[in-house]
Amino acid sequence: MTSIDGPWRRTAQGAGLLGDDGAVQATVFATMSALATSTGALNLGQGFPDEPGPREVLDAAAAAILAGDNQYPPGRGTAPLRTAIADHQAHWYGLDVDPDTEVLVTVGATEALAATILALCGPGDEVVVLEPAYDAYGALVALAGATLVPVPLRAPTFALDHDALRAAVTDRTRILLVNDPHNPTGARLTPRDRELVVDLATRHDALIVTDEVYEHLVFDGPHVPIATLPGAAERTVTISSGGKTFSTTGWKIGWLTAPAPLVTAIQSVKQFLSYVGGAPFQPATAIGLALPDARFAEIAGTLARKRDPLCDGLDRVGFVVSRPAAGYFAIADARPLGVTDTEAFCRELPERVGVAAIPVTAFVAPERHAMVVGLVRFAFCKRDEVLHEAVERLALLT
């Protein structure tokens, strides 16, 4: 058979999916979910909720399907959703966004990231990321032929090291890619962190790309987009989605907002990826974005109440827990339990006690695995009874 080579190989390598023998491995998320299914384990690995989202949002999608809203939507997204996104940015953050020229609807936030990186980066460019990092970042930067430059966030606080960020950003930096609130750690940037990001991007004429999919799942104080800082909006691409907020991760309705020239550049790539998607889910997501503020507070509050029993239970088992300030996930250090091989521990966990989790090594390049030894990510976006049962099962480790 003809040898199959090409950009796919560097993409797989960028995501850490090439083995030492050159064979492509499954993502750890697929592996752990498959183990959960085969063993009957509770899946606290992959970050998807097991409860329905707001009824108004679900009903709107069903109504749109039945009304025949099932064909290609406009390339930039339906007008009601683009308007809802612009209104959302104005209402929550005071950002003035033109729905016709400064909003682009995408097939999930991951496609927004893909189109942005492929449109704006190439060989010789560098993309600075905060690591641990969502695995798509490394894959997409590699696919673009650019170079990933990681800035480590170290346990247990996962605070941003300002000196490390200053050292990472140079005139070769094309993008500072910032995930805030952060996956997998649940950390949030401080005001000084955000100011430094804008200062460095301005000084080195770099773009800022922010992944803000957990923007409404914060537990202490409001989310503050970097685009709200003086001098930031003109160089910032802000990315979010409805999947996490409305517990509709399978709908894959994402978006980005940015100055019109950047949106045009990104759309020129996006239209040749998926073209469009999710026709009946776009009006439903628009309904979601217009929900009263109290509903958003309820969504975040419910998730915060799920966080605490899981974190408390992990503490009792003997893990050292980094309690998250936002998001779906808690990071727990298993080294006090004698764990030295995090991946092996997570592979054994479903069979051993009936719980699946993700090793944080999945979010760090192989050459830097040492900095996350023992760290395990547990998802708490699950039903209360599932979390209670998971804690009881994890107690069998002691």
Side-chain angles (χ1 to χ4, degrees):
M1 181 178 176
T2 302
S3 175
I4 302 174
D5 214 339
W8 73 267
R9 187 175 294 278
R10 68 171 183 260
T11 305
Q13 186 171 23
L17 299 181
L18 278 189
D20 293 338
D21 59 357
V24 179
Q25 304 167 339
T27 69
V28 70
F29 310 99
T31 298
M32 296 306 168
S33 289
L35 280 173
T37 299
S38 65
T39 62
L42 302 174
N43 191 351
L44 303 192
Q46 198 162 6
F48 58 84
D50 60 2
E51 294 181 295
R55 184 59 187 262
E56 304 97 313
V57 177
L58 304 181
D59 285 347
I65 291 171
L66 294 174
D69 195 359
N70 302 305
Q71 309 309 321
Y72 295 130
R76 291 200 176 208
T78 63
L81 178 53
R82 286 186 283 109
T83 297
I85 292 166
D87 290 346
H88 171 275
Q89 297 301 88
H91 173 72
W92 288 97
Y93 312 124
L95 290 167
D96 183 13
V97 175
D98 185 329
D100 293 326
T101 63
E102 297 180 325
V103 178
L104 178 62
V105 177
T106 58
V107 181
T110 301
E111 189 193 43
L113 287 161
T116 298
I117 291 169
L118 293 174
L120 303 176
C121 290
D125 292 329
E126 294 182 350
V127 179
V128 173
V129 302
L130 309 183
E131 194 179 56
Y134 177 44
D135 62 341
Y137 299 166
L140 294 169
V141 170
L143 179 59
T147 300
L148 192 77
V149 179
V151 174
L153 303 177
R154 300 190 184 278
T157 64
F158 302 107
L160 178 61
D161 183 327
H162 287 198
D163 289 338
L165 183 63
R166 289 188 187 97
V169 179
T170 71
D171 288 345
R172 294 185 300 276
T173 303
R174 178 62 169 157
I175 287 176
L176 279 79
L177 176 50
V178 178
N179 180 201
D180 178 37
H182 187 260
N183 172 25
T185 69
R188 299 177 63 193
L189 294 183
T190 68
R192 289 188 61 223
D193 294 340
R194 290 188 288 269
E195 290 167 4
L196 180 60
V197 168
V198 176
D199 177 65
L200 291 172
T202 302
R203 189 182 312 170
H204 295 280
D205 195 25
L207 297 170
I208 304 168
V209 176
T210 63
D211 177 350
E212 303 183 14
V213 297
Y214 297 100
E215 62 182 311
H216 287 295
L217 306 182
V218 296
F219 310 139
D220 183 18
H223 172 61
V224 180
I226 284 179
T228 62
L229 272 66
E234 66 196 47
R235 63 177 66 248
T236 300
V237 178
T238 301
I239 293 171
S240 193
S241 76
K244 302 299 191 297
T245 300
F246 305 126
S247 297
T248 53
T249 59
W251 289 8
K252 300 298 292 180
I253 299 297
W255 56 83
L256 61 85
T257 59
L262 287 175
V263 171
T264 298
I266 295 165
Q267 188 193 8
S268 71
V269 171
K270 179 262 185 292
Q271 65 189 346
F272 297 113
L273 297 176
S274 67
Y275 179 48
V276 291
F281 303 130
Q282 292 195 31
T285 302
I287 293 293
L289 288 174
L291 288 173
D293 292 7
R295 294 299 301 280
F296 287 90
E298 179 185 352
I299 290 166
T302 298
L303 198 57
R305 288 192 294 273
K306 293 176 181 294
R307 171 198 62 177
D308 294 336
L310 176 65
C311 290
D312 292 344
L314 291 170
D315 276 331
R316 291 193 298 271
V317 171
F319 291 91
V320 176
V321 181
S322 298
R323 200 168 291 253
Y328 274 0
F329 310 107
I331 302 296
D333 190 342
R335 285 177 296 176
L337 301 176
V339 173
T340 57
D341 186 332
T342 321
E343 294 182 19
F345 174 72
C346 288
R347 284 195 299 271
E348 296 164 2
L349 202 57
E351 185 69 43
R352 187 175 170 188
V353 300
V355 176
I358 298 292
V360 177
T361 50
F363 303 92
V364 176
E367 62 269 23
R368 292 183 293 281
H369 279 185
M371 83 176 198
V372 294
V373 168
L375 300 186
V376 181
R377 190 190 80 170
F378 292 91
F380 52 86
C381 51
K382 308 294 179 180
R383 299 190 311 277
D384 292 342
E385 58 268 29
V386 171
L387 296 173
H388 177 76
E389 177 65 21
V391 168
E392 289 193 345
R393 294 184 184 187
L394 288 165
L396 299 174
L397 292 169
T398 59

